[in-house]
Coordinates of all heavy atoms in Angstrom, one line a residue:
V176 N 0.9 -1.2 0.0 CA 0.0 0.0 0.0 C 0.9 1.2 0.0 O 1.8 1.3 0.8 CB -0.9 0.1 1.2 CG1 -1.8 1.3 1.2 CG2 -1.8 -1.2 1.2
R177 N 0.7 2.2 -0.9 CA 1.5 3.3 -1.0 C 0.6 4.6 -1.2 O -0.5 4.4 -1.7 CB 2.5 3.2 -2.1 CG 1.8 3.0 -3.5 CD 2.9 2.9 -4.6 NE 2.3 2.4 -5.9 CZ 2.0 3.3 -6.7 NH1 1.9 4.7 -6.5 NH2 1.4 2.9 -7.8
Q178 N 1.1 5.8 -0.9 CA 0.5 7.0 -1.3 C 0.5 7.2 -2.8 O 1.7 7.1 -3.3 CB 1.1 8.1 -0.6 CG 0.5 9.5 -0.9 CD 1.2 10.6 -0.1 OE1 1.2 10.7 1.1 NE2 1.7 11.5 -0.9
Y179 N -0.6 7.5 -3.4 CA -0.7 7.7 -4.8 C -0.6 9.1 -5.2 O -0.2 9.6 -6.3 CB -2.0 7.0 -5.4 CG -2.0 7.0 -6.9 CD1 -1.2 6.1 -7.6 CD2 -2.9 7.9 -7.5 CE1 -1.3 6.1 -9.1 CE2 -3.0 7.9 -8.9 CZ -2.2 7.0 -9.7 OH -2.3 7.0 -11.1
F180 N -1.5 9.9 -4.4 CA -1.6 11.4 -4.8 C -1.8 12.2 -3.5 O -2.7 11.8 -2.8 CB -2.8 11.5 -5.9 CG -3.1 12.9 -6.3 CD1 -2.4 13.3 -7.4 CD2 -4.0 13.7 -5.8 CE1 -2.5 14.6 -7.9 CE2 -4.1 15.0 -6.3 CZ -3.5 15.4 -7.5
D181 N -1.2 13.4 -3.5 CA -1.3 14.2 -2.4 C -1.8 15.6 -2.9 O -1.0 16.3 -3.6 CB 0.0 14.3 -1.5 CG -0.1 15.3 -0.4 OD1 -1.3 15.8 -0.1 OD2 0.9 15.6 0.3
P182 N -3.0 16.0 -2.6 CA -3.5 17.2 -3.2 C -2.8 18.5 -2.7 O -2.8 19.4 -3.3 CB -5.0 17.3 -2.8 CG -5.0 16.4 -1.6 CD -4.0 15.3 -1.8
T183 N -2.2 18.4 -1.5 CA -1.5 19.6 -0.9 C -0.3 19.9 -1.8 O 0.4 21.0 -1.6 CB -1.1 19.4 0.5 OG1 -0.3 18.1 0.7 CG2 -2.4 19.1 1.4
A184 N 0.2 18.9 -2.6 CA 1.4 19.2 -3.3 C 1.1 20.0 -4.6 O 2.1 20.3 -5.3 CB 2.1 17.8 -3.7
I185 N -0.1 20.3 -4.9 CA -0.4 21.0 -6.1 C -0.1 22.5 -5.8 O -0.7 23.1 -5.0 CB -1.9 20.8 -6.5 CG1 -2.3 19.4 -6.7 CG2 -2.2 21.7 -7.8 CD1 -3.7 19.2 -6.9
A186 N 0.8 23.1 -6.7 CA 1.2 24.4 -6.5 C 0.2 25.4 -6.9 O -0.5 25.2 -7.9 CB 2.5 24.7 -7.2
G187 N 0.0 26.5 -6.1 CA -0.9 27.5 -6.5 C -2.3 27.4 -6.2 O -3.2 28.2 -6.5
F188 N -2.7 26.3 -5.5 CA -4.0 26.0 -5.1 C -4.1 25.9 -3.6 O -3.3 25.2 -3.0 CB -4.6 24.8 -5.8 CG -4.8 25.1 -7.3 CD1 -3.9 24.8 -8.3 CD2 -6.1 25.6 -7.7 CE1 -4.1 25.0 -9.6 CE2 -6.3 25.8 -9.1 CZ -5.3 25.6 -10.0
N189 N -5.3 26.2 -3.1 CA -5.6 26.0 -1.7 C -6.7 25.0 -1.6 O -7.8 25.2 -2.2 CB -6.1 27.3 -1.0 CG -6.6 27.1 0.3 OD1 -6.0 26.6 1.3 ND2 -7.8 27.6 0.5
L190 N -6.4 23.9 -1.0 CA -7.4 22.8 -0.9 C -7.8 22.6 0.6 O -7.0 22.6 1.5 CB -6.8 21.4 -1.4 CG -6.6 21.4 -2.9 CD1 -5.2 21.8 -3.3 CD2 -6.8 20.0 -3.4
N191 N -9.1 22.5 0.8 CA -9.7 22.0 2.0 C -9.5 20.6 2.1 O -10.4 19.7 1.7 CB -11.2 22.5 2.2 CG -11.7 21.9 3.5 OD1 -11.0 21.7 4.4 ND2 -13.0 22.0 3.5
V192 N -8.3 20.1 2.5 CA -8.0 18.8 2.3 C -8.9 17.8 3.2 O -9.1 17.9 4.3 CB -6.5 18.5 2.9 CG1 -6.1 17.0 2.7 CG2 -5.6 19.3 2.0
G193 N -9.4 16.8 2.5 CA -10.4 15.9 3.1 C -11.1 15.1 1.9 O -10.8 15.3 0.8
N194 N -12.0 14.2 2.4 CA -12.7 13.4 1.4 C -13.5 14.3 0.4 O -13.7 13.8 -0.8 CB -13.6 12.4 2.0 CG -12.8 11.4 3.0 OD1 -11.6 11.3 2.7 ND2 -13.5 10.7 3.8
G195 N -13.9 15.4 0.8 CA -14.7 16.3 -0.1 C -14.0 16.9 -1.2 O -14.5 17.3 -2.2
T196 N -12.5 16.9 -1.1 CA -11.7 17.5 -2.2 C -11.8 16.6 -3.4 O -11.9 17.1 -4.5 CB -10.3 17.6 -1.7 OG1 -10.3 18.4 -0.5 CG2 -9.4 18.1 -2.8
F197 N -11.7 15.2 -3.2 CA -11.8 14.4 -4.3 C -13.2 14.1 -4.8 O -14.1 13.9 -4.0 CB -11.1 13.0 -3.9 CG -9.7 13.1 -3.7 CD1 -9.2 13.3 -2.4 CD2 -8.8 12.8 -4.7 CE1 -7.7 13.4 -2.2 CE2 -7.4 12.9 -4.5 CZ -6.9 13.2 -3.3
R198 N -13.3 14.0 -6.2 CA -14.6 13.8 -6.8 C -14.6 12.6 -7.6 O -15.6 11.8 -7.7 CB -15.0 15.0 -7.7 CG -15.1 16.2 -7.0 CD -16.1 16.3 -5.8 NE -16.1 17.6 -5.1 CZ -16.9 17.8 -4.0 NH1 -17.7 16.9 -3.6 NH2 -16.8 19.0 -3.4
H199 N -13.6 12.2 -8.2 CA -13.4 11.1 -9.1 C -12.0 10.7 -9.6 O -11.2 11.7 -9.5 CB -14.3 11.3 -10.4 CG -14.5 10.1 -11.3 ND1 -15.6 9.2 -11.1 CD2 -13.8 9.7 -12.4 CE1 -15.5 8.3 -12.1 NE2 -14.4 8.6 -12.8
I200 N -11.8 9.4 -9.9 CA -10.6 9.1 -10.4 C -10.8 8.1 -11.6 O -11.7 7.2 -11.4 CB -9.6 8.3 -9.4 CG1 -8.2 8.0 -10.0 CG2 -10.2 7.2 -8.7 CD1 -7.2 7.7 -9.1
S201 N -10.1 8.2 -12.7 CA -10.4 7.5 -13.8 C -9.8 6.0 -13.6 O -9.0 5.8 -12.7 CB -9.7 8.0 -15.1 OG -8.3 8.1 -14.9

């Protein structure tokens, strides 16, 4: 099991980190 994607690493964006941030993955 590994970390796949960290939204806080996206430059220039402010994310309310939590389940509500993610909507879908292909």
Side-chain angles (χ1 to χ4, degrees):
V176 177
R177 60 182 172 85
Q178 179 180 300
Y179 185 78
F180 185 84
D181 182 0
T183 61
I185 301 176
F188 287 91
N189 169 55
L190 289 93
N191 179 19
V192 177
N194 295 343
T196 298
F197 287 94
R198 302 299 176 180
H199 187 87
I200 183 168
S201 61

